[in-house]
Amino acid sequence: MSASNPRIVVLGSINMDLITRTPSLPDPGETVMGRSFTTTPGGKGANQAIAAAKAGSSVAFVGAVGDDEFGVTLRHTLTAAGIDDTAVRTAAGSSGIATITVDDRAENSIVVVPGANGTVRNLTDDDRTVIADADILLCQLEIPIDTVVAAFEFAHSRGVITMLNPSPVQDLPDALIAATDVLVVNEAEEARIGHRADEVEQVVTTLGAKGARYRGSESFEVSAPRIEAVDTTGAGDAFAGALAASWSAGPRVAVEWATTAGSFAATRPGASASSGTRAEIDTLRDAAAR
Ligand SMILES: Nc1ncnc2c1ncn2[C@@H]1O[C@H](COP(=O)(O)OP(=O)(O)OP(=O)(O)O)[C@@H](O)[C@H]1O
C-alpha cells in the first residue's frame, strides 16, 4: 500500500472477553471444571480501531468503558496501540463484557453484557470535534444505533467519509443509509440487508476464503491469498480496519490490501490481537504475488 493514511475515528464498542475452556459445556444448574481462563480485549469497535492503528493510521476512538478494573485495562489497550482515547468516557458500572465458554468440540456459549457500550447515547462536543477533524468515520452497530445515525449525519455534513459495518445486522434506518458513503458487509449481512444496499454508492462485501467484492464507480472482485486458516474470528474486523486505513489509495488498492489483512488475521488466533501490522500484511501480499 502506498498513498498516505487517512485520520480515522472509530465510534463503537469495546469489551473484555472472558474466555473459559472446558471439556464440555455445563447444562443448566450443572458445575463443570474448566481447563483454562483468559481475558482478551474485544468489541468490534475496538478490534477495528486497533486493526487500523496497526496498519499505520492515526486513529481516535469514541466510546465508553466502565468504572471497573476492566475499564482501566481496556483504555490502556487503546492507548498502547497508539489510539487517541480523549473521547472515551468512563461510565458508572461495568465495562462491556462477553463471557465465552468453549468446549473441546469448539462449541461455545456466549453471554454479552453491553455495559458501558450501552451508555453511548449521545454525541458530546468533544466527539464532534474529533469527528470533524477526521477523514473517515468508521462505525459498527454494537452501540445504540441512534448515536451512529447522529454521528454519520454530522460527519456527512462535514465532508467526512462514513464507513458502516452493520454488525450485528439489523434493520437500517433510512437516515443511516442516506448518510453512509461505504457499506462494509459479509455475505450474510449483505443477504439480510438485501436491495437496501443498492441505496449506498459503494459496497464492499467480504467473501471469507474467496476474498472480497467491490461495487461503486467500478465493480470488481479480488481473491484472498491462500493461507492456513487458524482462527477466522476477527478477520472481518481486521478487514474493516485495514480498509479504512488504506481507503485514500482508492477502492481497488484498498480492497486488495484489506483482503490480505483479513487473511493475515485468519492465520492468527484471537480477535484484536490477530490483526497484522502494515509490514506483516505487505509481506503476505508480496508472498501471495509470487
Ligand atoms: N479461510 C480464509 N482464508 C483466507 N482468507 C480468509 C479466510 N477467512 C477469512 N478471510 C479473509 O478475511 C476477510 C473477512 O472474512 P469474512 O468474509 O469471513 O468476514 P466475517 O464473516 O465478518 O468474519 P468474522 O466474523 O469471522 O470476523 C475475507 O474477505 C478474507 O480476506
Side-chain angles (χ1 to χ4, degrees), residues 89-123:
R89 38 273 208 188
T90 300
S94 91
S95 295
I97 300 291
T99 309
I100 303 168
T101 311
V102 187
D103 73 11
D104 286 349
R105 292 174 303 156
E107 289 286 351
N108 59 38
S109 77
I110 302 177
V111 179
V112 176
V113 178
N117 297 307
T119 70
V120 187
R121 298 205 159 274
N122 59 323
L123 287 185

mmCIF file of all heavy atoms in Angstrom, residues 89-123:
data_model
loop_
_atom_site.group_PDB
_atom_site.id
_atom_site.type_symbol
_atom_site.label_atom_id
_atom_site.label_comp_id
_atom_site.label_asym_id
_atom_site.label_seq_id
_atom_site.Cartn_x
_atom_site.Cartn_y
_atom_site.Cartn_z
ATOM 1 N N ARG A 89 -15.249 7.903 27.215
ATOM 2 C CA ARG A 89 -15.694 8.228 28.574
ATOM 3 C C ARG A 89 -15.626 7.012 29.481
ATOM 4 O O ARG A 89 -15.654 5.870 29.001
ATOM 5 C CB ARG A 89 -17.077 8.867 28.642
ATOM 6 C CG ARG A 89 -18.163 8.404 27.713
ATOM 7 C CD ARG A 89 -18.107 9.120 26.438
ATOM 8 N NE ARG A 89 -19.355 9.271 25.719
ATOM 9 C CZ ARG A 89 -19.406 9.759 24.502
ATOM 10 N NH1 ARG A 89 -18.310 10.109 23.880
ATOM 11 N NH2 ARG A 89 -20.553 9.901 23.874
ATOM 12 N N THR A 90 -15.562 7.316 30.783
ATOM 13 C CA THR A 90 -15.669 6.259 31.781
ATOM 14 C C THR A 90 -17.058 6.371 32.388
ATOM 15 O O THR A 90 -17.404 7.386 32.996
ATOM 16 C CB THR A 90 -14.595 6.416 32.872
ATOM 17 O OG1 THR A 90 -13.302 6.349 32.258
ATOM 18 C CG2 THR A 90 -14.708 5.312 33.907
ATOM 19 N N ALA A 91 -17.879 5.332 32.170
ATOM 20 C CA ALA A 91 -19.266 5.344 32.640
ATOM 21 C C ALA A 91 -19.373 4.570 33.952
ATOM 22 O O ALA A 91 -18.621 3.619 34.170
ATOM 23 C CB ALA A 91 -20.166 4.711 31.582
ATOM 24 N N ALA A 92 -20.317 4.993 34.801
ATOM 25 C CA ALA A 92 -20.551 4.257 36.047
ATOM 26 C C ALA A 92 -21.064 2.855 35.702
ATOM 27 O O ALA A 92 -21.905 2.706 34.818
ATOM 28 C CB ALA A 92 -21.572 4.992 36.898
ATOM 29 N N GLY A 93 -20.536 1.847 36.379
ATOM 30 C CA GLY A 93 -20.990 0.477 36.130
ATOM 31 C C GLY A 93 -19.951 -0.331 35.365
ATOM 32 O O GLY A 93 -18.795 0.089 35.217
ATOM 33 N N SER A 94 -20.387 -1.482 34.860
ATOM 34 C CA SER A 94 -19.418 -2.405 34.266
ATOM 35 C C SER A 94 -19.038 -2.006 32.842
ATOM 36 O O SER A 94 -19.792 -1.339 32.133
ATOM 37 C CB SER A 94 -19.967 -3.835 34.267
ATOM 38 O OG SER A 94 -20.663 -4.103 33.076
ATOM 39 N N SER A 95 -17.852 -2.420 32.446
ATOM 40 C CA SER A 95 -17.456 -2.343 31.043
ATOM 41 C C SER A 95 -18.278 -3.347 30.247
ATOM 42 O O SER A 95 -18.940 -4.222 30.827
ATOM 43 C CB SER A 95 -15.966 -2.703 30.907
ATOM 44 O OG SER A 95 -15.168 -1.747 31.550
ATOM 45 N N GLY A 96 -18.248 -3.221 28.942
ATOM 46 C CA GLY A 96 -18.845 -4.252 28.103
ATOM 47 C C GLY A 96 -18.110 -5.567 28.330
ATOM 48 O O GLY A 96 -16.880 -5.587 28.391
ATOM 49 N N ILE A 97 -18.873 -6.638 28.500
ATOM 50 C CA ILE A 97 -18.282 -7.935 28.835
ATOM 51 C C ILE A 97 -18.872 -9.016 27.928
ATOM 52 O O ILE A 97 -20.084 -9.045 27.719
ATOM 53 C CB ILE A 97 -18.610 -8.326 30.304
ATOM 54 C CG1 ILE A 97 -18.063 -7.303 31.294
ATOM 55 C CG2 ILE A 97 -18.110 -9.736 30.628
ATOM 56 C CD1 ILE A 97 -16.559 -7.279 31.406
ATOM 57 N N ALA A 98 -18.026 -9.884 27.399
ATOM 58 C CA ALA A 98 -18.522 -11.096 26.720
ATOM 59 C C ALA A 98 -17.986 -12.296 27.508
ATOM 60 O O ALA A 98 -16.765 -12.455 27.636
ATOM 61 C CB ALA A 98 -18.042 -11.140 25.285
ATOM 62 N N THR A 99 -18.888 -13.064 28.071
ATOM 63 C CA THR A 99 -18.500 -14.264 28.813
ATOM 64 C C THR A 99 -18.639 -15.445 27.857
ATOM 65 O O THR A 99 -19.744 -15.778 27.428
ATOM 66 C CB THR A 99 -19.421 -14.463 30.040
ATOM 67 O OG1 THR A 99 -19.462 -13.238 30.758
ATOM 68 C CG2 THR A 99 -18.908 -15.551 30.942
ATOM 69 N N ILE A 100 -17.506 -16.019 27.502
ATOM 70 C CA ILE A 100 -17.480 -17.025 26.431
ATOM 71 C C ILE A 100 -16.987 -18.348 27.012
ATOM 72 O O ILE A 100 -15.932 -18.395 27.660
ATOM 73 C CB ILE A 100 -16.518 -16.572 25.301
ATOM 74 C CG1 ILE A 100 -16.951 -15.201 24.775
ATOM 75 C CG2 ILE A 100 -16.449 -17.613 24.184
ATOM 76 C CD1 ILE A 100 -15.930 -14.528 23.863
ATOM 77 N N THR A 101 -17.736 -19.408 26.818
ATOM 78 C CA THR A 101 -17.299 -20.737 27.236
ATOM 79 C C THR A 101 -17.167 -21.602 25.989
ATOM 80 O O THR A 101 -18.091 -21.644 25.165
ATOM 81 C CB THR A 101 -18.304 -21.361 28.225
ATOM 82 O OG1 THR A 101 -18.594 -20.401 29.246
ATOM 83 C CG2 THR A 101 -17.740 -22.617 28.863
ATOM 84 N N VAL A 102 -16.001 -22.219 25.831
ATOM 85 C CA VAL A 102 -15.730 -23.029 24.629
ATOM 86 C C VAL A 102 -15.377 -24.447 25.069
ATOM 87 O O VAL A 102 -14.523 -24.629 25.948
ATOM 88 C CB VAL A 102 -14.527 -22.463 23.831
ATOM 89 C CG1 VAL A 102 -14.360 -23.203 22.511
ATOM 90 C CG2 VAL A 102 -14.677 -20.967 23.593
ATOM 91 N N ASP A 103 -16.025 -25.458 24.456
ATOM 92 C CA ASP A 103 -15.693 -26.838 24.844
ATOM 93 C C ASP A 103 -14.726 -27.480 23.843
ATOM 94 O O ASP A 103 -14.292 -26.835 22.874
ATOM 95 C CB ASP A 103 -16.962 -27.674 25.062
ATOM 96 C CG ASP A 103 -17.670 -28.046 23.764
ATOM 97 O OD1 ASP A 103 -17.090 -27.841 22.680
ATOM 98 O OD2 ASP A 103 -18.805 -28.561 23.845
ATOM 99 N N ASP A 104 -14.367 -28.732 24.094
ATOM 100 C CA ASP A 104 -13.348 -29.401 23.278
ATOM 101 C C ASP A 104 -13.784 -29.621 21.832
ATOM 102 O O ASP A 104 -12.960 -29.883 20.966
ATOM 103 C CB ASP A 104 -12.964 -30.756 23.905
ATOM 104 C CG ASP A 104 -12.098 -30.564 25.143
ATOM 105 O OD1 ASP A 104 -11.646 -29.421 25.359
ATOM 106 O OD2 ASP A 104 -11.889 -31.542 25.883
ATOM 107 N N ARG A 105 -15.100 -29.537 21.571
ATOM 108 C CA ARG A 105 -15.566 -29.687 20.185
ATOM 109 C C ARG A 105 -15.718 -28.321 19.503
ATOM 110 O O ARG A 105 -16.324 -28.210 18.441
ATOM 111 C CB ARG A 105 -16.909 -30.431 20.168
ATOM 112 C CG ARG A 105 -16.784 -31.905 20.590
ATOM 113 C CD ARG A 105 -18.150 -32.542 20.692
ATOM 114 N NE ARG A 105 -18.988 -31.781 21.634
ATOM 115 C CZ ARG A 105 -20.306 -31.770 21.629
ATOM 116 N NH1 ARG A 105 -20.967 -32.491 20.747
ATOM 117 N NH2 ARG A 105 -20.982 -31.042 22.503
ATOM 118 N N ALA A 106 -15.222 -27.267 20.197
ATOM 119 C CA ALA A 106 -15.304 -25.888 19.713
ATOM 120 C C ALA A 106 -16.737 -25.350 19.713
ATOM 121 O O ALA A 106 -17.019 -24.323 19.096
ATOM 122 C CB ALA A 106 -14.659 -25.722 18.335
ATOM 123 N N GLU A 107 -17.661 -26.062 20.396
ATOM 124 C CA GLU A 107 -18.993 -25.494 20.632
ATOM 125 C C GLU A 107 -18.817 -24.383 21.654
ATOM 126 O O GLU A 107 -17.972 -24.496 22.553
ATOM 127 C CB GLU A 107 -19.933 -26.550 21.243
ATOM 128 C CG GLU A 107 -20.361 -27.649 20.314
ATOM 129 C CD GLU A 107 -21.395 -27.180 19.300
ATOM 130 O OE1 GLU A 107 -21.898 -26.047 19.418
ATOM 131 O OE2 GLU A 107 -21.660 -27.959 18.374
ATOM 132 N N ASN A 108 -19.617 -23.317 21.533
ATOM 133 C CA ASN A 108 -19.476 -22.288 22.554
ATOM 134 C C ASN A 108 -20.829 -21.796 23.034
ATOM 135 O O ASN A 108 -21.857 -22.023 22.405
ATOM 136 C CB ASN A 108 -18.618 -21.120 22.042
ATOM 137 C CG ASN A 108 -19.199 -20.464 20.817
ATOM 138 O OD1 ASN A 108 -20.408 -20.318 20.707
ATOM 139 N ND2 ASN A 108 -18.334 -20.080 19.883
ATOM 140 N N SER A 109 -20.812 -21.165 24.209
ATOM 141 C CA SER A 109 -21.982 -20.424 24.667
ATOM 142 C C SER A 109 -21.464 -19.065 25.112
ATOM 143 O O SER A 109 -20.406 -18.966 25.736
ATOM 144 C CB SER A 109 -22.726 -21.169 25.774
ATOM 145 O OG SER A 109 -22.054 -21.031 26.986
ATOM 146 N N ILE A 110 -22.191 -18.019 24.740
ATOM 147 C CA ILE A 110 -21.691 -16.657 24.937
ATOM 148 C C ILE A 110 -22.794 -15.789 25.542
ATOM 149 O O ILE A 110 -23.938 -15.827 25.086
ATOM 150 C CB ILE A 110 -21.245 -16.041 23.579
ATOM 151 C CG1 ILE A 110 -20.169 -16.910 22.922
ATOM 152 C CG2 ILE A 110 -20.752 -14.611 23.775
ATOM 153 C CD1 ILE A 110 -19.710 -16.429 21.558
ATOM 154 N N VAL A 111 -22.449 -15.058 26.576
ATOM 155 C CA VAL A 111 -23.348 -14.028 27.121
ATOM 156 C C VAL A 111 -22.640 -12.685 26.964
ATOM 157 O O VAL A 111 -21.506 -12.528 27.424
ATOM 158 C CB VAL A 111 -23.649 -14.273 28.619
ATOM 159 C CG1 VAL A 111 -24.567 -13.169 29.149
ATOM 160 C CG2 VAL A 111 -24.267 -15.649 28.835
ATOM 161 N N VAL A 112 -23.304 -11.739 26.297
ATOM 162 C CA VAL A 112 -22.715 -10.406 26.136
ATOM 163 C C VAL A 112 -23.497 -9.406 26.989
ATOM 164 O O VAL A 112 -24.719 -9.344 26.911
ATOM 165 C CB VAL A 112 -22.750 -9.949 24.656
ATOM 166 C CG1 VAL A 112 -22.233 -8.522 24.518
ATOM 167 C CG2 VAL A 112 -21.931 -10.892 23.789
ATOM 168 N N VAL A 113 -22.783 -8.680 27.822
ATOM 169 C CA VAL A 113 -23.386 -7.586 28.586
ATOM 170 C C VAL A 113 -22.855 -6.289 27.973
ATOM 171 O O VAL A 113 -21.656 -6.028 28.042
ATOM 172 C CB VAL A 113 -22.981 -7.662 30.083
ATOM 173 C CG1 VAL A 113 -23.578 -6.484 30.850
ATOM 174 C CG2 VAL A 113 -23.424 -8.981 30.685
ATOM 175 N N PRO A 114 -23.722 -5.473 27.354
ATOM 176 C CA PRO A 114 -23.221 -4.238 26.714
ATOM 177 C C PRO A 114 -22.543 -3.303 27.704
ATOM 178 O O PRO A 114 -21.576 -2.614 27.340
ATOM 179 C CB PRO A 114 -24.479 -3.589 26.125
ATOM 180 C CG PRO A 114 -25.479 -4.688 26.023
ATOM 181 C CD PRO A 114 -25.165 -5.666 27.132
ATOM 182 N N GLY A 115 -23.016 -3.268 28.942
ATOM 183 C CA GLY A 115 -22.387 -2.424 29.960
ATOM 184 C C GLY A 115 -22.196 -0.996 29.452
ATOM 185 O O GLY A 115 -23.140 -0.385 28.923
ATOM 186 N N ALA A 116 -20.982 -0.481 29.582
ATOM 187 C CA ALA A 116 -20.709 0.922 29.223
ATOM 188 C C ALA A 116 -21.050 1.236 27.764
ATOM 189 O O ALA A 116 -21.431 2.370 27.442
ATOM 190 C CB ALA A 116 -19.236 1.234 29.492
ATOM 191 N N ASN A 117 -20.945 0.234 26.874
ATOM 192 C CA ASN A 117 -21.255 0.498 25.460
ATOM 193 C C ASN A 117 -22.683 1.026 25.292
ATOM 194 O O ASN A 117 -22.959 1.829 24.400
ATOM 195 C CB ASN A 117 -21.098 -0.777 24.622
ATOM 196 C CG ASN A 117 -19.677 -1.283 24.619
ATOM 197 O OD1 ASN A 117 -18.753 -0.543 24.315
ATOM 198 N ND2 ASN A 117 -19.493 -2.552 24.987
ATOM 199 N N GLY A 118 -23.576 0.530 26.163
ATOM 200 C CA GLY A 118 -24.975 0.942 26.078
ATOM 201 C C GLY A 118 -25.215 2.371 26.548
ATOM 202 O O GLY A 118 -26.300 2.924 26.355
ATOM 203 N N THR A 119 -24.197 2.976 27.168
ATOM 204 C CA THR A 119 -24.364 4.357 27.661
ATOM 205 C C THR A 119 -23.971 5.396 26.612
ATOM 206 O O THR A 119 -24.100 6.594 26.852
ATOM 207 C CB THR A 119 -23.501 4.613 28.926
ATOM 208 O OG1 THR A 119 -22.109 4.624 28.558
ATOM 209 C CG2 THR A 119 -23.734 3.549 29.996
ATOM 210 N N VAL A 120 -23.481 4.941 25.466
ATOM 211 C CA VAL A 120 -23.056 5.899 24.424
ATOM 212 C C VAL A 120 -24.311 6.328 23.655
ATOM 213 O O VAL A 120 -24.578 5.885 22.544
ATOM 214 C CB VAL A 120 -21.998 5.268 23.492
ATOM 215 C CG1 VAL A 120 -21.438 6.301 22.518
ATOM 216 C CG2 VAL A 120 -20.861 4.670 24.306
ATOM 217 N N ARG A 121 -25.092 7.182 24.305
ATOM 218 C CA ARG A 121 -26.422 7.524 23.779
ATOM 219 C C ARG A 121 -26.465 8.898 23.131
ATOM 220 O O ARG A 121 -27.479 9.302 22.593
ATOM 221 C CB ARG A 121 -27.479 7.465 24.890
ATOM 222 C CG ARG A 121 -27.618 6.092 25.486
ATOM 223 C CD ARG A 121 -28.992 5.861 26.107
ATOM 224 N NE ARG A 121 -29.231 4.429 26.203
ATOM 225 C CZ ARG A 121 -29.728 3.689 25.230
ATOM 226 N NH1 ARG A 121 -30.069 4.242 24.086
ATOM 227 N NH2 ARG A 121 -29.885 2.390 25.396
ATOM 228 N N ASN A 122 -25.386 9.650 23.256
ATOM 229 C CA ASN A 122 -25.389 10.968 22.611
ATOM 230 C C ASN A 122 -23.971 11.361 22.222
ATOM 231 O O ASN A 122 -23.002 10.808 22.735
ATOM 232 C CB ASN A 122 -25.989 12.020 23.547
ATOM 233 C CG ASN A 122 -25.197 12.108 24.825
ATOM 234 O OD1 ASN A 122 -24.725 11.101 25.325
ATOM 235 N ND2 ASN A 122 -25.028 13.315 25.337
ATOM 236 N N LEU A 123 -23.876 12.315 21.318
ATOM 237 C CA LEU A 123 -22.565 12.821 20.905
ATOM 238 C C LEU A 123 -22.235 14.050 21.737
ATOM 239 O O LEU A 123 -23.071 14.944 21.890
ATOM 240 C CB LEU A 123 -22.606 13.247 19.437
ATOM 241 C CG LEU A 123 -22.646 12.173 18.378
ATOM 242 C CD1 LEU A 123 -22.555 12.839 17.009
ATOM 243 C CD2 LEU A 123 -21.518 11.173 18.561
#
